[in-house]
Amino acid sequence: MDQRRTAILAEIPRLRRYARALLRDRDSADDLVQDCLERALSRLDNWTSDENPRRWLFTIMHHLFVDQTRRTKRRAEVVMMPLEGSEAMSVPADQTESVASREIMDALQAISPDRRAALVIVGVEGFSYAEAATMLGIPAGTLMSRVARGREELRGLLDDVGRRRAIRVVER
Amino acid sequence: MTRRDFSERDIHLALDGELPDEDRRDFEAWLEATPDMKARSLRFEADRARLREAFAGVLEERVPDRLAMRAAGEAPAPATRVARWRFAAAAAVFLALGAGGGYLAGVEAIGIEPQAEDELAEEAIAAHTIYAAEQRHAVEVGADDKDHLLAWLSKRVGLTLVAPDLAAEGFHLVGGRLLPAGQKTAGLLLYEDAGSNRISIYVTAEGDEKSKGVYKHETGGASAVYWLDDGWGCAIVGTLPQDRLVDVGRKAYRQLLAGAGMA
């Protein structure tokens, strides 16, 4: 197999993780990865071998995600507001997820997509601020503030849940 | 003596490995000297660990064939496909808008639906907290009028209620009261032991959920052992040690079911 394809193949698990953090739902996340692969393959000639495949692919996928959220946002403001959020949004919980994981995944979905992406790319995927800013196509200062605001927002949501929620220990 | 002033911003920089090495020591000293910032830093760090942990499993999953084959060039490009992720992206935006705009509040804002058992346990704990503390007005109908109490509660709650005999556990019936439970009603039976420790049995007619467990607040206080089954919602609440509460609760629940001819 082509060396470049091999490199792309090796990045799929990381792409899937990033997509899952962005979208939560497994099938939707894999669809996003697939769209990203399509686009990457169609632009294979643009990709120079000295460019890090992970950064290249993450950039492509991120932009697919952003384009879509922008388009949706305009529509959402007009059309989607009156809907009951919990109805439209409920994601069936994966039985294998722990309560703690489920809580933080849900909270992550509730913060703005921009902050979510910044927080995940730095905090989970481990890219530096400089790398992340380049990949997301934003100034470093903006990136830094999105990470900080995202982190605070996430904590705020978890505090809210913590106040209302309690520990439920299922009897054996 | 610190060389420069630090702020919350530095907590993020340090966490993300962006704080210059030469500032590291002073930053740590500043954290030690500023307990609220240290607490904040630890919380953020713990959140990050939890986030990583939540998504760590994805890396271990087997890559779906459709993705692997596509990347390897072994699958043709699919025809027009309406990507599901677009809907999820729409949902994500909407959720963020909703949460930011205050359309959704609390637990629902982040997509955790309050479950029937959570509501049952919360209501039962709240009722216990309020009424078990009362000396003179803990109950509406006392144990001396037990037959009337049970007939009345049974009628209003819609379940055949008995007062479990918990003498072997050291508890005797004080009395009971009728309570609102959302759109429905709930019955509360209050028991007390020789040491004036009180437990309450909270019963309400429920739907088809089936669940049992122990529910307690992170902040402490009374906990509840509950059952949801056969249209019954039952929670036994008290501040007893958990094992004992479960034990007493189980005995009470069995008697309740037996009394209703269900066990």
Side-chain angles (χ1 to χ4, degrees), chain A residues 1 5 8-9 12-14 16-17 20-23 25-35 37-38 41 64-65 68-69 72-73 75-77 80-81 83-86 88-90 100-113 116 119 122-124 128-130 144 147-148 151-152 154-155 157-171, chain B residues 8-9 11-13 15-16 18 40 43-44 46-48 50-56 58-59 61-64 66-74 76-78 81-100 103-115 117-118 122 211-218 225-227 242 246 250:
Chain A
M1 201 188 340
R5 282 182 184 274
I8 291 173
L9 206 52
I12 294 180
R14 296 283 295 252
R16 293 183 74 227
R17 181 170 67 176
R20 194 82 61 90
L22 290 176
L23 295 170
D25 174 69
R26 183 195 183 117
D27 289 335
S28 307
D30 282 342
D31 286 349
L32 175 58
V33 174
Q34 186 162 349
D35 283 1
L37 294 174
E38 308 288 351
L41 293 169
L64 283 170
F65 173 72
Q68 189 55 39
T69 51
T72 312
K73 192 169 184 173
R75 213 170 55 228
E77 277 159 359
M80 295 181 74
M81 278 311 209
L83 274 177
E84 271 296 321
S86 49
M89 258 18 82
S90 61
S101 290
R102 206 155 64 217
E103 252 176 36
I104 203 159
M105 288 164 142
D106 287 340
L108 186 67
Q109 287 305 301
I111 70 176
S112 83
R116 189 188 321 147
L119 185 59
V122 171
V124 177
S128 71
Y129 283 0
M144 199 185 296
V147 171
R151 208 169 255 150
E152 284 154 12
L154 189 71
R155 174 89 309 257
L157 286 165
L158 291 169
D159 283 343
D160 288 348
V161 181
R163 269 193 289 276
R164 286 194 46 180
R165 208 176 174 290
I167 312 163
R168 181 150 35 88
V169 190
V170 174
E171 201 196 356
Chain B
E8 195 171 338
R9 188 172 163 273
I11 293 177
H12 297 287
L13 291 176
L15 204 55
D16 295 325
E18 302 280 343
R40 196 159 256 273
R43 269 199 302 274
F44 286 152
D47 285 348
R48 183 177 64 177
R50 211 166 129 189
L51 208 51
R52 286 180 175 169
E53 158 115 30
F55 292 104
V58 180
L59 295 185
E61 288 173 12
R62 195 172 158 271
V63 171
R66 62 171 166 131
L67 300 181
M69 289 172 71
R70 189 71 199 99
E74 289 160 16
R81 179 172 53 86
V82 179
R84 268 167 298 198
W85 72 266
R86 301 221 157 127
F87 174 74
V93 167
F94 177 69
L95 240 193
L97 286 175
Y103 282 82
L104 317 165
V107 171
E108 275 170 278
I110 71 165
I112 298 171
E113 307 230 6
Q115 299 182 16
E117 57 263 42
D118 292 349
E122 286 279 359
S211 174
K212 60 180 178 176
V214 176
Y215 187 97
K216 56 189 171 187
H217 282 263
E218 282 169 349
V225 45
Y226 64 82
W227 285 265
Q242 185 169 313
V246 169
R250 192 180 285 126

